[in-house]
Amino acid sequence: MTLIRADEALLARLMEEQAACAATADGGVNRPALTAGDRVARDWLRARFDALGMRTLVDGVGNMLGCLEWAGPGAPWIMTGSHLDSQPNGGRFDGAYGVVAGLTAAAALKEAVAEGRLKPRANLAVCNWTNEEGARFQPSLIGSSVYIGGMPLQEALAVKDAEGISVGAALDAIGYRGAAVLPLPAAFVEMHVECAPDLEQDGLRMGPFTRYWGATKIRVRMTGLQAHTGPTPMERRRDALLGAAYLIADLKELCAEAPDTLHTSVGRIEAYPNSPNSVVSEATMWVELRSPAQDVLIWAEERFNRALETAAQRSGTIGRTLHVECRKAGVFDAQLCNRVEAAMAAEGIAGRHLSTIAAHDAIRLAEICPSIVVAVRSIGGICHNAAEYSTPEDLAAGAQVLVRVLSELVASPRP
Amino acid sequence: MPDDLLNLLNRFARFGATPRGGVRRLAASAEDGAARRAFAEEAERRGARLHADPVGNMFATFFTAPEAETTVLVGSHLDSQPTGGRFDGTLGVLAGLAAASAIHARGVRTRHNITVANWTNEEGARFQPSLTGSSVFTGKMKLAEALALEDRNGRTLGAELEAIGCKGTSPLPLRPVRNLELHVEQGDHLETAGLQIGAVTSSWAARKITIAFIGEPSHTGPTPMHRRRDALRAAAAAITHFHGVMEAAARAHLLHWSAARIVAEPDSPNVVASRVTVWFEIRNPEHAITVQAGDGFMSSLKPEMERQGIAVEIVRDEHRPGTMLDPGGVEQVIGVARDLGLSATRMMTITGHDALMLQAIMPSTLIFIPSVGGLSHNEAELTHDDDIRKGCAVLEAALLRFATEPHGG
């Protein structure tokens, strides 16, 4: 088998094209799932699938697959890809790089197959999973969760955004509610920017994520009493925003008790009625606890419950947990990891094993097939920010590694 | 028609009615538009002529002095909090309508005409700051600035007034000589003291400070904790700090304070917040105390925020020194109440009202009636029918005096 190479100019051009879909003035993209911006990116992807001669499949939750069914309908499927949705004013690499690297690799493999340099024994698909980010609709990873059977389709379609618009209605609005039954993969390889500073700190370009952190995501509400902020005597106030402030402040202290093994955050808060002169009667918060160790997560959740009680007592409000979602810590497929490391070695790229703290679609895919994420260096570890950046050289090196791994898997899907 | 006002109140409680007996009638919303149209129709039916000014203030004039170019204003506001009570503001507009139309119907000729006013965006729930309509009327706020105010979704007050068809083109053509407003107390002083009428002498001072905390957006997962510049954590620390500073200051002074509005950006569960804006309020009878308490809070806040890598931007720092209302009006209200055999007291107000703003350009009078439990800005806000009847009787008698006396009494 002669060497198959990714076309670096194609990769660069595709990165530019996708970054122009719902671009923001500061170099980022604004493509929360199933918004008009997301639709622009999806339409672009569909056109790229067409141009590469890939058949587009869209399932009931809007997951998009570009398929090269060159090994026949009974053959196994190798899949790659990631997501085109973004945070509000997010970066142009997070997710999109994985889709673009997949397209670039598919183009290279297709050419090799056409020239007889690669004999495919497996079909290849490039994926764009719906609502990976979870910015507009919670939870995150909705598309890949439905795909693996981890979330009922009806439940996913009923999830609503802050404006009360459901996933189902949003899919209809942008014309991406499909009906295709997607094939299931023999392996899933996802390229992604690292979103953390470790590779850069170690002077390395790339590395497979071998482990993923667990996360406990809690939606919690403080309930007080709506009243006028002027005349209401202070001792009679039951201020839900004050309760929320106590809780958020206390959660920060929690990290000091488990340094390096616990990350906590509150990224979203909804206050009601949120009028400057009415005491807040309801404050809802989205809390995250993340750790590589399950026992730390269990401890942190207990500690959170105590903090909630304390915050409620201090503010005279009621604290109530509305929803808890647990994602356990785990490991990615060791054999795929070996393949990635071998490909990196063949490209002369030194790397290291990494743990991912952020969630990826590959974590859901790992429940049904061997799965891995390969991380490419993020400058400054910046992520979920328009200033997110990875160099064209690193992105190209990642695509070369992906081409090697995919061509091996397509040629011999069952090692 | 002693129960005219009660019937009107019941009717208007349907515009934006909420399941638990309150109203949701945010300024320049569709519900506000419906209430405004009903007000205009009802006033015209009773013989008034309608006028809307460019900021959407509505004026229904009963020409009880057709030759005069002067008028006495009586009114309040029809807008509400997101889940507000059905008396706050609405009582003053409808009581004004009931009283003015009763005087008009009796064919009384007065020295000044009588104009029932509905002021735009008194509440400040949807558009900040509050008292927008009366501020523009007095010249305290420029019209263009008011029309450009944006709500959370970026819609401007000007466009929303147009959308509900309530934006006029010219100022009120009559010269107002005096203003009168009836309002529920929103506190429990009258109820506790067993009194029926409050003649408001002056208002507490308020300092309203809007602060933006500016950090940096990053991923809530992998970003190391020590590298995060989390604006929501900073805002939470600021709110608890504010509470502590004010609690300490309240040992020496009678202080009321709150942080009641928060806007986080980008407001995604897995992005560290990059900008969080919080609306703080400090209230005390003395302006100097609110200034001192606010300064104490802000000077102690900055070093801590800098330590967290958070920039602090003072978006707005509004000083509302207490307002002294026209003393003559206070005596008139006390006298009228006494004549009607009602118990009355002079008292201060803690809340802001259009009447306080209007005192800047004319003698202005504010009358309170009891609020059950002092509860307000709540669906369960309540004032008993009998107290409403008494308040309306005082309003009508005072209005007649003001309209018949030179210079509005």
Side-chain angles (χ1 to χ4, degrees):
Chain A
M1 187 172 78
T2 54
L3 193 57
I4 305 169
R5 303 300 293 168
D7 179 346
E8 297 184 4
L10 174 66
L11 175 81
R13 199 183 79 225
L14 293 176
M15 277 306 288
E16 268 177 36
E17 284 177 10
Q18 69 76 20
C21 300
T24 58
D26 49 2
V29 293
N30 190 23
R31 297 197 298 245
L34 313 182
T35 56
D38 187 24
R39 179 196 197 151
V40 172
R42 285 168 173 267
D43 289 348
W44 167 83
L45 180 62
R46 189 193 282 267
R48 298 283 69 72
F49 285 157
D50 290 348
L52 284 168
M54 304 174 89
R55 188 158 66 96
T56 301
L57 298 179
V58 180
D59 73 2
V61 73
N63 291 320
M64 297 174 70
L65 250 63
C67 302
L68 288 167
E69 209 168 344
W70 47 33
W77 286 81
I78 303 299
M79 291 190 186
T80 186
S82 190
H83 60 95
L84 288 176
D85 76 320
S86 84
Q87 290 292 327
N89 300 311
R92 64 189 192 273
F93 297 89
D94 177 357
Y97 170 58
V99 175
V100 166
L103 285 171
T104 307
L109 265 61
K110 195 183 173 215
E111 193 180 297
V113 169
E115 291 169 359
R117 290 186 286 130
L118 175 65
K119 284 249 172 303
R121 291 197 173 78
N123 300 313
L124 180 68
V126 176
C127 320
N128 170 33
W129 304 109
T130 295
N131 190 48
E132 191 272 350
E133 292 289 359
R136 180 178 176 194
F137 299 102
Q138 287 87 43
S140 57
L141 307 178
I142 282 184
S144 49
S145 296
V146 170
Y147 174 71
I148 64 148
M151 183 182 205
L153 175 62
Q154 288 314 316
E155 186 186 323
L157 294 175
V159 169
K160 287 183 177 158
D161 69 5
E163 311 281 308
I165 299 166
S166 69
V167 167
L171 283 167
D172 290 336
I174 64 164
Y176 274 91
R177 194 206 285 250
V181 177
L182 305 183
L184 292 175
F188 180 67
V189 183
E190 178 172 359
M191 300 301 297
H192 207 281
V193 286
E194 187 193 357
C195 286
D198 295 353
L199 286 171
E200 189 184 32
Q201 273 164 16
D202 293 353
L204 300 169
R205 309 177 79 171
M206 204 182 302
F209 285 126
T210 54
R211 317 178 60 87
Y212 46 90
W213 281 32
T216 302
K217 301 190 175 188
I218 306 169
R219 199 165 81 241
V220 62
R221 177 174 294 162
M222 313 300 301
T223 303
L225 179 70
Q226 192 181 314
H228 199 298
T229 57
T232 312
M234 294 308 297
E235 66 275 10
R236 275 204 224 156
R237 298 191 187 197
R238 288 156 51 202
D239 183 343
L241 184 55
L242 180 62
Y246 284 134
L247 181 63
I248 294 169
D250 202 6
L251 282 179
K252 186 186 182 186
E253 303 305 315
L254 194 54
C255 290
E257 295 175 39
D260 303 326
T261 57
L262 181 67
H263 286 184
T264 69
S265 65
V266 179
R268 182 165 177 218
I269 184 166
E270 249 180 38
Y272 188 86
N274 215 24
S275 168
N277 43 13
S278 286
V279 175
V280 173
S281 57
E282 279 186 3
T284 309
M285 287 159 281
W286 281 256
V287 178
E288 290 181 3
L289 311 170
R290 301 188 192 232
S291 174
Q294 199 57 33
D295 55 344
V296 172
L297 279 181
I298 291 166
W299 167 82
E301 195 179 341
E302 287 169 5
R303 208 22 206 82
F304 163 83
N305 287 329
R306 285 210 300 278
L308 179 60
E309 221 169 88
T310 308
Q313 270 169 11
R314 288 182 73 184
S315 57
T317 57
I318 297 163
R320 197 157 52 92
T321 295
L322 304 179
H323 188 257
V324 182
E325 176 198 347
C326 295
R327 200 171 62 227
K328 285 191 175 162
V331 293
F332 286 114
D333 185 73
Q335 281 188 329
L336 275 180
C337 179
N338 291 340
R339 281 186 192 267
V340 168
E341 289 189 295
M344 283 170 59
E347 291 288 329
I349 300 167
R352 56 164 280 195
H353 289 182
L354 296 163
S355 293
T356 179
I357 305 178
H360 295 290
D361 293 307
I363 295 175
R364 289 323 308 256
L365 270 290
E367 294 176 39
I368 60 161
C369 71
S371 173
I372 196 148
V373 184
V374 185
V376 167
R377 172 164 58 183
S378 292
I379 301 303
I382 295 170
C383 190
H384 285 188
N385 184 313
E388 192 177 279
Y389 186 68
S390 294
T391 67
E393 295 76 23
D394 288 350
L395 297 182
Q400 297 298 358
V401 167
L402 181 65
V403 166
R404 281 184 183 268
V405 173
L406 290 180
S407 51
E408 277 182 32
L409 288 169
V410 164
S412 48
R414 302 195 196 285
Chain B
M1 278 201 307
D3 284 348
D4 179 29
L5 174 57
L6 297 176
N7 294 335
L8 283 173
L9 280 167
N10 284 334
R11 194 178 140 207
F12 276 72
R14 292 203 287 267
F15 299 108
T18 58
R20 282 181 288 181
V23 290
R24 177 184 178 84
R25 217 152 55 214
L26 294 169
S29 64
E31 293 80 11
D32 188 27
R36 283 164 172 265
R37 276 191 297 284
F39 169 68
E41 282 163 20
E42 186 60 33
E44 276 174 344
R45 200 177 64 74
R46 292 171 184 231
R49 191 182 306 161
L50 264 292
H51 181 90
D53 76 5
V55 74
N57 292 322
M58 298 175 73
F59 302 101
T61 300
F62 291 91
F63 285 90
T64 51
E67 284 78 39
E69 289 172 359
T70 52
T71 194
V72 171
L73 298 175
V74 59
S76 191
H77 59 95
L78 290 173
D79 74 319
S80 86
Q81 292 288 319
T83 37
R86 61 206 189 90
F87 300 96
D88 178 356
T90 306
L91 170 74
V93 177
L94 299 180
L97 180 59
S101 60
I103 293 170
H104 178 68
R106 290 203 301 272
V108 180
R109 294 299 288 249
T110 56
R111 188 179 290 264
H112 311 287
N113 296 296
I114 299 174
T115 299
V116 185
N118 169 34
W119 304 103
T120 295
N121 193 44
E122 191 271 350
E123 291 289 359
R126 181 176 178 194
F127 301 97
Q128 287 82 41
S130 56
L131 305 175
T132 310
S134 50
S135 296
V136 170
F137 190 81
T138 61
K140 191 197 171 205
M141 183 183 240
K142 291 200 169 62
L143 174 63
E145 187 191 338
L147 296 178
L149 292 178
E150 288 184 5
D151 72 1
R152 175 91 210 262
N153 299 318
R155 298 197 185 102
T156 64
L157 176 59
E160 292 295 275
L161 283 170
E162 297 252 19
I164 59 168
C166 291
K167 191 170 169 302
T169 52
S170 60
L172 177 66
L174 297 166
R175 181 169 62 84
V177 292
R178 183 168 256 295
N179 175 67
L180 181 58
E181 179 170 1
L182 177 69
H183 207 283
V184 288
E185 183 197 343
Q186 304 179 288
D188 66 355
H189 177 67
L190 291 173
E191 185 184 59
T192 310
L195 296 166
Q196 293 157 325
I197 298 293
V200 177
T201 55
S202 58
S203 67
W204 280 31
R207 184 171 181 182
K208 303 190 173 193
I209 310 169
T210 308
I211 302 179
F213 302 89
I214 300 156
E216 175 76 20
S218 62
H219 198 302
T220 56
T223 313
M225 294 304 294
H226 66 273
R227 282 225 203 158
R228 299 184 187 198
R229 292 169 51 214
D230 186 335
L232 185 51
R233 276 197 169 133
I239 291 169
T240 60
H241 176 68
F242 175 67
H243 196 72
V245 170
M246 293 302 130
E247 254 183 347
R251 284 184 211 117
H253 307 288
L254 179 59
L255 273 184
H256 283 189
W257 66 91
S258 61
R261 177 171 163 87
I262 186 166
V263 172
E265 298 165 67
D267 210 21
S268 171
N270 44 10
V271 182
V272 172
S274 56
R275 182 183 173 99
V276 176
T277 311
V278 180
W279 280 254
F280 297 92
E281 282 183 4
I282 304 165
R283 302 184 195 236
N284 178 272
E286 302 277 337
H287 180 227
I289 302 295
T290 63
V291 172
Q292 185 190 320
D295 289 349
F297 164 56
M298 289 202 285
S299 62
S300 57
L301 178 68
K302 281 196 172 145
E304 173 56 26
M305 292 296 114
E306 274 161 22
R307 252 198 307 282
Q308 294 191 26
I310 298 293
V312 171
E313 181 193 320
I314 309 299
V315 177
R316 195 180 176 96
D317 184 0
E318 189 188 354
H319 291 240
R320 287 191 180 170
T323 300
M324 169 88 84
L325 290 168
D326 173 51
V330 173
E331 296 317 311
Q332 293 275 20
V333 170
I334 296 286
V336 162
R338 193 182 50 225
D339 293 351
L340 292 170
L342 302 173
S343 56
T345 184
R346 294 169 185 80
M347 63 184 292
M348 289 183 85
T349 174
I350 304 179
T351 49
H353 292 285
D354 294 310
L356 298 167
M357 180 60 67
L358 294 165
Q359 173 70 37
I361 57 165
M362 69 184 101
S364 185
T365 299
L366 180 60
I367 306 169
F368 277 170
I369 55 175
S371 294
V372 174
L375 189 63
S376 184
H377 285 191
N378 188 301
E379 291 168 284
E381 182 186 275
L382 180 66
T383 292
H384 293 305
D385 289 355
D386 200 40
D387 288 327
I388 291 171
R389 287 190 193 100
K390 286 170 179 151
C392 192
V394 171
L395 183 76
E396 186 180 326
L399 180 60
L400 186 59
R401 282 196 190 186
F402 291 150
T404 45
E405 290 175 12
H407 316 298

